[in-house]
Amino acid sequence: MRVLYSVFAEDTLRYIVRMFPGFALAALLFFPLRPRRMRRLDERRLASSPRREGTLLLFWLFCGGMAVLTLTPGWFNWLTLLRGPVPDHALFFTPGTWNLVPGRCFEGGLWQSYMLLGNIIMFVPFGFFAALLWRGYTWKRALLTGFCITGSVECWQLCVGRAFDIDDIILNTLGVFCGYLLWRLLHGPAPGFTVRFHVMDILELVRPTMDYREQVMAFRAEMLEYGSEFEGCMGLKNTGSYEEWLDFRGREKARGWLPSHTWLTVRQSDGRVVGIVNYRPSPLSEFVLRYGGHIGYSIRPSERRKGYAREQLRLTLEKCRAEGEERVLLTCDPANTASERTILANGGVLENEVPDEPGLGGSGTIRRYYITL
């Protein structure tokens, strides 16, 4: 047991300590470069959340540490160098050795097993963070990333007195691929969580005008095709034309609806309508207070699972706050887990559950949430 602890704990800690100069260098580069990177995102109408920025900094620190660990000679240790020159080490740039025969990593004892596992595990973050932080990362890109990174590292190590080892390329690439698979395991059951680490499209709420006629009607057709509920769409499903739908006040008066505000949720990068939201100011009628709430919203099916519903609701809450609301009520069917997650992500607190007497949902129950502004 003592031997296992020495190999797997003490040596791992020693490697981590060696990475510290890389951590510091990465931090020194990350913060000065961040304003320029944020400006470029803003030009493309994109935003990077604090959650993503914190994760990106962690990835930078890891990359900096790995650069020190893999690109310096084997004798390099900053703690040793702090005590003074090391007389018996070789020059920094010294020809190394090479192994082009696959499978030698499986020969040897405990130390060789540690190195085999280490060569896989220490490259897992490259695949995991890349998939977590950037859109469109696939298993093919993971394999290509792993091969390019480790191939470059091995070639460099041949120049600094270390070894070019074909087994390292295989194991490191496998590690990157395993990192991607780890992300897939997380993304499958929780896509709404993982999408929060991507750059976010900047959304805005705009008043419907004739300029959006074609987009709103396309929105309607898509919702009908997918059989989606038109929550917060102010009767868009049953209106015969866009002009009829735009007559919000006339329709509210004719049908006895409460006065409300309707906005289109527009993606700034391309002007695409991705959602529709409706807000009914206080006071609410007895029926709406029990079953409906202040806000209803929908995201078009092709734009779902991108975090848009959460951002759409956040923008609407800002509108509510500007109207003087102190807290707003939202309701959802327990079967609509996506809507429930959106409400909870914006600070919703469950008030109670009531029987769905009007038959608005499919589960027979309506959950009522309040969000304090």
Side-chain angles (χ1 to χ4, degrees), residues 23-36:
F23 297 158
L25 180 60
L28 290 174
L29 290 174
F30 179 86
F31 290 105
L33 292 176
R34 184 172 182 269
R36 180 174 179 271

Side-chain angles (χ1 to χ4, degrees), residues 228-244:
S228 300
E229 296 294 331
F230 285 72
E231 298 291 343
C233 294
M234 277 299 290
L236 178 62
K237 179 180 181 179
N238 301 313
T239 51
S241 67
Y242 183 70
E243 289 76 10
E244 179 186 350

Side-chain angles (χ1 to χ4, degrees), residues 16-21 68 76-83:
I16 293 175
V17 170
R18 284 184 59 187
M19 297 169 74
F20 276 21
V68 171
F76 179 84
N77 188 319
W78 64 277
L79 285 175
T80 304
L81 293 177
L82 285 178
R83 303 188 188 101

Side-chain angles (χ1 to χ4, degrees), residues 30-88:
F30 179 86
F31 290 105
L33 292 176
R34 184 172 182 269
R36 180 174 179 271
R37 182 168 52 80
M38 299 301 285
R39 285 195 300 269
R40 292 183 61 185
L41 287 175
D42 186 61
E43 290 171 359
R44 298 167 56 193
R45 297 295 187 267
L46 298 172
S48 183
S49 67
R51 182 195 302 266
R52 182 179 187 274
E53 288 300 297
T55 306
L56 187 60
L57 173 60
L58 184 63
F59 185 43
W60 273 60
L61 296 178
F62 171 77
C63 291
M66 284 294 292
V68 171
L69 194 63
T70 60
L71 302 181
T72 57
W75 53 261
F76 179 84
N77 188 319
W78 64 277
L79 285 175
T80 304
L81 293 177
L82 285 178
R83 303 188 188 101
V86 181
D88 58 345

Side-chain angles (χ1 to χ4, degrees), residues 1 23 34 93-94 152 161 169 187 196 206 211 222 226 228 230 246 270 275 358 370 373:
M1 183 62 67
F23 297 158
R34 184 172 182 269
F93 292 102
T94 304
S152 300
I169 294 180
H187 179 72
R196 300 180 191 178
V206 301
D211 294 337
E222 188 175 321
Y226 280 80
S228 300
F230 285 72
L246 276 183
D270 58 2
Y370 273 103
L373 303 178

Side-chain angles (χ1 to χ4, degrees), residues 272-306:
R272 179 176 171 84
V273 174
V274 300
I276 299 178
V277 61
N278 178 257
Y279 157 57
R280 293 177 286 262
S282 297
L284 302 177
S285 68
E286 182 178 348
F287 180 87
V288 175
L289 183 62
R290 184 171 178 81
Y291 301 112
H294 289 88
I295 301 171
Y297 51 85
S298 290
I299 295 292
R300 66 192 306 165
S302 61
E303 300 292 350
R304 291 172 184 171
R305 304 181 77 173
K306 298 180 180 180

Side-chain angles (χ1 to χ4, degrees), residues 102-109 112-113 116 120 167 170-171 174:
R104 289 188 176 177
C105 61
F106 297 101
E107 302 172 359
Q112 199 68 19
S113 299
L116 187 152
I120 296 175
D167 284 334
I170 295 172
L171 295 173
L174 177 61

